[in-house]
């Protein structure tokens, strides 16, 4: 891991007061931690805007296991993309509905496409993609 | 499950042509499926804007297991919220970084607060919240 | 303008009931209008994801006219991009703060870059970009 | 205006290097300016999540002036809300389409409702809301 460095931020005291209120409310332990989070968020957004960088996505799929063949169709698609799909979690929300969450690694365009295909599968009620990364350089 | 119903949508043919291109590209099997997805997405968004409705969230947390005490602190917090936290998945992305994904159920405000606390924990590099629901009525 | 066409959407009646509640609450006059809005929104999003398509952006800039040279610097930058910047509106929010809104036309990447440069100008307190289009085909 | 204050941020040098690249690319003049932008953005988001705080919104409306009665209906609605609507700009994008941008001031819930009503008006092709503020305390 790289060494810790330090830099100063100058701003009006009224702005700092409001920021201090916010970070207390959100549970941050100190300003540096809150600033680092803002910076990392911005960097992850930027990574997803690039073409040829490896990213990680978490895809949520909400569906009813009553839909005939759906589980089977999803599983088959997932197997075809087993290199990109790192892992998956399946939750029985209630009698009918399941939440499935997949962790997927690849180029931003690939992860987006896998998410779109899964979310557009007939019978999937709701799906979303979280865009995150492998964490390199975000230390 | 409730019965299937049907309604007509009128629009300019140029708009429909563009929509047909989009749904083919995204892999939808037919227009109804694509329209249902747009409707469900809108309904889920609306649910999260209400105060007293039960929702489901998927929280992603990216962190390095090298950070002393972090895993321990996260686990402790998660235990304190074991009623809301349904399940969790842990992925070893590489030598240092882990991706943890939690499925959380509760009122929108509760799920948001749990997400904020976890994401603001010192050492968590990046975190995001997917807002979804238990699926009731989204059939 | 192209002719009106019509297609049917099939869905569960529970889903339709929820959608009908939503569109009444939001003030839509009928289902077709609400569906058209969902479709157009999706198409506009897609256009902004493409490289070589002309789009329109509305950029909001919040700043204090007390900041020395800021108005001058913004105006100069805007003049350098007068081909892209269609029009602008200036609002005196209170004694110190102004809201400036610019309408900008160009390729998505160009409009994004103009927005980024303006928003990152020293003294601009807050800025956002609305992504919309020239409206072709959205009839 | 309040006085300038200063605080230190500690972080790993690899994270700072990436941030420095980003701010150079985006055109920021220095780190403090970029950090202030991240802080203000976060504060504005938070303000819009509160119930009883005055905010400012910029609403974009894309429509064709060929639609009979639409301009009239929009103008009438806008007059009914003349206290909240500060100003408006109208742009002739091409032969058929207009872009109208309104600056609206009020409680977050009021501004959202005005935006929803305008965007859902029959004939409006696309509409979006920028959430910003009066700028108090964001100095």
């Amino acid at each position: 891991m790289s060494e810790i460095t330090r830099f100063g931020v100058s701003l009006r005291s009224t702005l700092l007061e409001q920021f201090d209120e916010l970070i207390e409310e959100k549970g941050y332990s100190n300003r540096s931690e809150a600033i680092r989070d803002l910076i990392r968020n911005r960097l992850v957004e930027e990574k997803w805007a690039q073409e040829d960088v490896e990213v990680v996505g978490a895809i949520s799929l909400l569906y009813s296991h009553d839909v005939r063949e759906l589980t089977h169709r999803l599983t088959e698609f997932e197997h075809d993309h087993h290199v990109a799909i790192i892992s998956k979690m399946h939750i029985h929300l209630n009698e009918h509905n399941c939440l499935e969450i997949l962790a997927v690694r690849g180029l931003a365009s690939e992860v987006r496409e896998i998410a779109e295909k899964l979310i557009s599968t007939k019978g999937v009620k709701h799906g979303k993609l979280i865009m995150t990364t492998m964490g390199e350089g975000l230390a």
Side-chain angles (χ1 to χ4, degrees), chain A:
Chain A
M1 285 217 265
S2 66
E3 79 281 21
I4 300 285
T5 183
R6 206 174 160 79
F7 70 96
V9 176
S10 60
L11 72 184
R12 300 219 171 263
S13 50
T14 47
L15 184 59
L16 186 54
E17 279 158 29
Q18 289 183 76
F19 186 55
D20 282 347
E21 270 177 48
L22 180 79
I23 66 182
E24 205 200 312
E25 199 189 308
K26 298 303 172 199
Y28 282 99
S29 53
N30 59 54
R31 286 176 196 153
S32 283
E33 182 58 24
I35 295 287
R36 286 194 297 263
D37 258 21
L38 291 175
I39 291 177
R40 289 183 204 117
N41 253 310
R42 195 66 191 75
L43 290 171
V44 171
E45 273 172 36
E46 205 58 26
K47 249 191 179 153
W48 274 82
Q50 285 164 30
E51 288 294 304
D52 50 355
V53 180
E54 192 177 46
V55 294
V56 172
I59 303 167
S60 74
L61 300 173
L62 179 73
Y63 63 89
S64 164
H65 61 82
D66 303 332
V67 177
R68 216 158 50 98
E69 295 290 304
L70 179 55
T71 319
H72 180 66
R73 255 179 300 138
L74 290 176
T75 308
E76 210 159 295
F77 177 86
E78 291 166 11
H79 270 279
D80 293 348
H81 294 81
H82 68 276
V83 179
I85 297 174
I86 311 170
S87 180
K88 101 175 185 186
M89 168 165 72
H90 187 105
I91 297 150
H92 302 290
L93 289 174
N94 53 32
E95 212 185 327
H96 300 295
N97 293 305
C98 312
L99 179 66
E100 200 164 288
I101 304 178
L102 294 92
V104 183
R105 172 183 10 203
L107 301 185
S109 56
E110 289 169 357
V111 177
R112 261 202 201 90
E113 205 189 315
I114 290 176
E116 283 172 355
K117 292 284 179 219
L118 287 167
I119 292 169
S120 67
T121 303
K122 191 175 153 63
V124 171
K125 294 179 181 183
H126 188 246
K128 281 280 169 199
L129 169 65
I130 283 184
M131 303 178 187
T132 186
T133 69
M134 299 286 286
E136 293 102 337
L138 291 188

